[in-house]
């Protein structure tokens, strides 16, 4: 009788946790239960441990620096999270690394157009913007640019830095990672969390998710400011499908909601970011990837 009562109470406890507990508490409980069963030598324990992931839907005020290799990357990668941070009163600075003119470097007609699109977004949402004007597809981790980024990091002292993940195989996106790694080496006292976001390529093992079900329409509105790139690729629909898939795979199993949207990130600390990038860069070099050669003239496909 006691065993049966204990089993009934255990089932109800599980139901209440799934219904009312935060995703973080649910994940912690799963990890503890898995560890206890592993220590007991439970023969029926699953070979798949609880996923190493964190799902959030609310943010606390923070100091954010977003590296956007091109105007529109910030909206594509983290528009929903940005909208929530701005609502929460976070300080947000977006650094646009290139001028967004496209692969035809002799054509400067798009530079002012892309700049104005980005400015209209910044003015509407009220975040700080910095423009570097490096020609599109020509971003490099040279000493001058590394020093400039180190100076900006030192001035802003952000506690979170966002940039396209180093799994995103676009030349300027990968170069942004090399730039950040170089700047962090110059500032050993800087310890921001580093979060890679998605633009063209999905992150293979994301470990941080933000539920943007309530902010997807604001993300879509942000993307609508970028009319030029949206003529080539419907980024609103691209982000809608990707965010719905992330929600289905990683969030609905925790929240028990059938539909929604989520943005995915690879999150680490500054020290591990630098070491992971170095290891990944060595692997790419071993396989002769053009991403780690001298630049786009070596065969990197244009954006």
């Amino acid at each position: 009788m006691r065993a049966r009562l204990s089993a009934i109470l255990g089932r109800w406890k599980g139901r209440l946790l799934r219904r009312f507990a935060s995703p973080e508490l649910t994940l912690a409980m799963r990890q503890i239960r898995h560890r206890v069963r592993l220590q007991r030598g439970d023969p029926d324990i699953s070979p798949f441990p609880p996923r190493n992931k964190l799902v959030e839907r609310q943010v606390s005020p923070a100091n954010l620096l977003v590296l956007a290799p091109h105007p529109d990357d910030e909206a594509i990668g983290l528009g929903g999270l940005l909208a929530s941070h701005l609502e929460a009163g976070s300080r947000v600075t977006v650094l646009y690394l290139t001028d967004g003119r496209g692969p035809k470097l002799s054509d400067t007609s798009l530079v002012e157009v892309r700049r104005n699109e980005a400015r209209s977004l910044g003015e509407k949402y009220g975040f700080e913007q910095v423009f570097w004007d490096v020609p599109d597809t020509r971003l490099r981790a040279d000493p001058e640019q590394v020093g400039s980024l180190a100076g900006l990091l030192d001035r802003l002292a952000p506690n979170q830095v966002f940039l396209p993940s180093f799994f995103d195989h676009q030349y300027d996106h990968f170069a942004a990672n090399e730039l950040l790694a170089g700047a962090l080496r110059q500032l050993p006292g800087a310890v921001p969390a580093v979060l890679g976001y998605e633009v063209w390529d999905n992150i293979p093992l994301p470990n941080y998710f933000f539920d943007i079900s309530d902010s997807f329409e604001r993300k879509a509105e942000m993307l609508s400011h970028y009319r030029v790139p949206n003529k080539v690729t419907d980024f609103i629909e691209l982000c809608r499908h990707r965010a719905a898939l992330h929600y289905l795979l990683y969030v609905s199993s925790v929240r028990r909601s059938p539909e929604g949207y989520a943005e995915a990130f690879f999150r680490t600390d500054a020290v591990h970011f630098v070491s992971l990038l170095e290891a990944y860069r060595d692997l790419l070099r071993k396989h002769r990837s053009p991403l780690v050669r001298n630049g786009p003239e070596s065969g990197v496909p244009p954006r």
Side-chain angles (χ1 to χ4, degrees):
M1 183 69 179
R2 178 179 295 179
R4 186 175 180 182
L5 181 60
S6 177
I8 292 172
L9 290 174
R11 285 197 297 272
W12 274 104
K13 181 176 69 175
R15 290 174 185 173
L16 289 171
L17 276 173
R18 288 194 295 271
R19 179 66 179 86
F20 297 107
S22 68
E24 297 74 40
L25 178 58
T26 302
L27 177 60
M29 292 295 291
R30 285 179 181 173
Q31 291 172 333
I32 292 170
R33 186 164 59 249
H34 185 86
R35 192 176 300 117
V36 169
R37 293 181 66 188
L38 192 65
Q39 290 171 349
R40 288 176 178 172
D42 189 337
D44 298 322
I45 191 169
S46 167
F48 300 102
R51 291 176 179 173
N52 178 29
K53 65 177 183 177
L54 176 62
V55 179
E56 292 186 329
R57 66 184 312 171
Q58 293 180 327
V59 296
S60 301
N63 182 4
L64 277 58
L65 173 62
V66 180
L67 305 187
H70 311 94
D72 73 4
D73 288 336
E74 80 288 11
I76 295 169
L78 63 152
L81 180 61
L82 277 185
S84 296
H85 266 293
L86 291 165
E87 268 193 6
S90 295
R91 179 185 181 183
V92 176
T93 304
V94 178
L95 168 60
Y96 299 95
L97 297 167
T98 75
D99 57 19
R101 74 178 71 182
K104 296 181 180 179
L105 296 180
S106 60
D107 183 5
T108 60
S109 60
L110 282 178
V111 173
E112 196 60 30
V113 174
R114 300 295 305 278
R115 170 76 65 90
N116 288 336
E117 289 178 341
R119 279 176 172 161
S120 72
L121 178 63
E123 289 170 2
K124 172 149 190 191
Y125 284 89
F127 54 80
E128 184 180 346
Q129 295 176 299
V130 180
F131 295 90
W132 269 13
D133 287 333
V134 176
D136 199 344
T137 75
R138 290 294 185 269
L139 190 63
R140 285 184 172 82
D142 61 37
E144 181 180 358
Q145 292 178 6
V146 168
S148 296
L149 182 55
L152 186 64
L153 285 167
D154 190 45
R155 177 173 70 84
L156 296 176
N159 48 33
Q160 297 179 39
V161 178
F162 293 81
L163 76 168
S165 82
F166 49 69
F167 299 111
D168 201 319
H169 285 189
Q170 198 279 342
Y171 179 75
D172 290 329
H173 295 185
F174 190 79
N177 283 269
E178 295 189 296
L179 265 172
L180 178 60
L184 290 171
R185 289 189 196 99
Q186 292 188 10
L187 299 169
V191 288
V194 179
L195 294 95
Y197 60 80
E198 296 176 327
V199 182
W200 291 111
D201 294 306
N202 288 358
I203 297 169
L205 292 171
N207 60 0
Y208 175 73
F209 303 87
F210 190 74
D211 185 344
I212 62 168
S213 302
D214 296 332
S215 56
F216 182 82
E217 293 310 316
R218 281 172 289 171
K219 178 185 179 86
E221 200 280 328
M222 285 183 175
L223 288 164
S224 70
H225 285 255
Y226 291 109
R227 296 180 180 179
V228 169
N230 272 298
K231 290 178 181 177
V232 180
T233 302
D234 189 339
F235 284 109
I236 295 176
E237 283 306 298
L238 183 153
C239 290
R240 188 186 304 276
H241 291 299
R242 180 158 61 195
L245 179 61
H246 285 326
Y247 187 90
L248 178 65
L249 289 175
Y250 300 107
V251 181
S252 66
S253 61
V254 177
R255 299 210 178 277
R256 305 295 176 185
S257 301
E259 296 180 357
Y261 302 102
E263 291 170 336
F265 305 86
F266 182 71
R267 179 174 180 168
T268 185
D269 59 71
V271 174
H272 284 95
F273 165 75
V274 173
S275 61
L276 284 170
L277 179 62
E278 288 175 348
Y280 187 53
R281 192 180 193 278
D282 289 343
L283 181 64
L284 291 175
R285 185 186 292 113
K286 179 180 178 181
H287 292 281
R288 302 189 179 187
S289 169
L291 285 172
V292 294
R293 295 183 183 178
N294 293 325
E297 64 272 14
S298 61
V300 175
R303 183 170 183 272

